[in-house]
Amino acid sequence: MDEVEVVVAHSERATLRVGDVFLKVDADQARIDVEVEVMALAPVPTPEILWRKPPVLAIAALPGTTLGRLGGPSTGSPAAWAAAGAAIRKLHDAPLPARHGRAGRSIDELAAELDDECASLVTNGVLPADLVTRNREVAAAALRPWTPAFTHGDLQIAHVFVDGDEVTGIIDWSEAGQGDALYDLATFTLGHEEHLDDVIAGYGADVDLDAIHGWWSLRSLLIVRWLAEHGFDPFAPGCEVDVLRSRM
């Protein structure tokens, strides 16, 4: 009998692996609805949906391996990162889905959330004031007008699978929708700045590097406290707090 592997688990959702099947359990049915909907629209490889019985979605495992993980070494070649960049560009150029995604929040909403979170991080002693202040300054570059694109919304490197230099699939689409394309590029390269040039080469378009740096800071500032409260360690080497320190 196959063992059950807990891939990720917290109070909102959990993903289990049993053999070649992933079972996604989500208390929010709307997230599963979005995932099923946008995977059907995305012009890039996605996992096969095997069955669905709320609150569980069963999907087939993808061939290949991920490019790495935040806080760990990259296992992919420069060509593999470039291939990922090309796949991301294909997604961003696709017809827009109807809904706004995680990457599509308004500038005013993000700025207000960021200011509140920065104040909380300092007041509660989670991070030093100078670190928060500097990264709030860097994050301002992400708060600018953008043209809507079809975005994944949570494009961590652990969500992109490759076999050699070919992208075999992208998983976890519950945050997808219209949004800022640079949010995806920044999320994908978070903690792996050394591969940004490879990704941009595959992406095949000029990008605003200051905005990507801004998204690195913004995303990290907004998620540090949530991670700590849900059993993750943003202070681990190479993770979010180190990303913030790299901007000093």
Side-chain angles (χ1 to χ4, degrees):
M1 181 176 179
D2 289 316
E3 293 184 352
V4 176
E5 175 191 356
V6 178
V7 179
V8 63
H10 50 78
S11 59
E12 296 177 1
R13 67 187 93 169
T15 300
L16 312 175
R17 179 170 186 167
V18 185
D20 290 331
V21 177
F22 285 90
L23 302 175
K24 303 192 70 174
V25 185
D26 199 320
D28 185 348
Q29 183 59 42
R31 279 195 292 254
I32 296 294
D33 292 341
V34 169
E35 184 146 13
V36 171
E37 175 188 341
V38 296
M39 280 200 296
L41 298 173
V44 294
T46 59
E48 177 189 0
I49 296 175
L50 301 176
W51 52 266
R52 181 185 182 194
K53 185 176 181 180
V56 181
L57 175 68
I59 60 176
L62 290 168
T65 59
T66 66
L67 281 166
R69 61 179 178 81
L70 183 62
S74 165
T75 57
S77 66
W81 283 85
I88 296 168
R89 177 66 182 275
K90 188 174 182 180
L91 174 67
H92 290 167
D93 285 345
L96 295 175
R99 71 183 302 275
H100 285 269
R102 182 71 174 171
R105 289 169 292 169
S106 73
I107 295 172
D108 290 343
E109 177 187 356
L110 274 170
E113 182 182 357
L114 182 59
D115 288 340
D116 289 346
E117 191 62 28
C118 287
S120 176
L121 290 169
V122 174
T123 300
N124 294 299
V126 179
L127 293 175
D130 61 339
L131 183 65
V132 172
T133 299
R134 170 57 183 156
N135 278 276
R136 176 62 182 86
E137 293 170 352
V138 175
L143 302 174
R144 85 270 178 248
W146 40 267
T147 301
F150 189 153
T151 54
H152 180 280
D154 190 22
L155 199 61
Q156 304 172 45
I157 58 171
H159 293 163
V160 178
F161 284 72
V162 296
D163 186 0
D165 298 333
E166 178 184 355
V167 175
T168 57
I170 301 175
I171 64 172
D172 284 3
W173 292 83
S174 62
E175 306 287 354
Q178 295 185 32
D180 179 3
L182 297 191
Y183 180 91
D184 273 354
L185 290 174
T187 302
F188 185 63
T189 54
L190 184 75
H192 289 280
E193 184 173 353
E194 72 276 11
H195 290 292
L196 179 59
D197 287 345
D198 298 325
V199 173
I200 292 173
Y203 193 73
D206 292 332
V207 301
D208 184 341
L209 293 178
D210 287 340
I212 288 181
H213 298 163
W215 276 122
W216 286 341
S217 291
L218 196 157
R219 179 182 170 92
S220 297
L221 286 168
L222 289 183
I223 205 168
V224 163
R225 187 166 54 88
W226 184 94
L227 290 168
E229 291 174 352
H230 287 79
F232 303 98
D233 185 7
F235 291 86
C239 291
E240 286 80 4
V241 175
D242 273 356
V243 170
L244 297 173
R245 288 170 177 153
S246 71
R247 297 300 104 194
M248 297 297 287

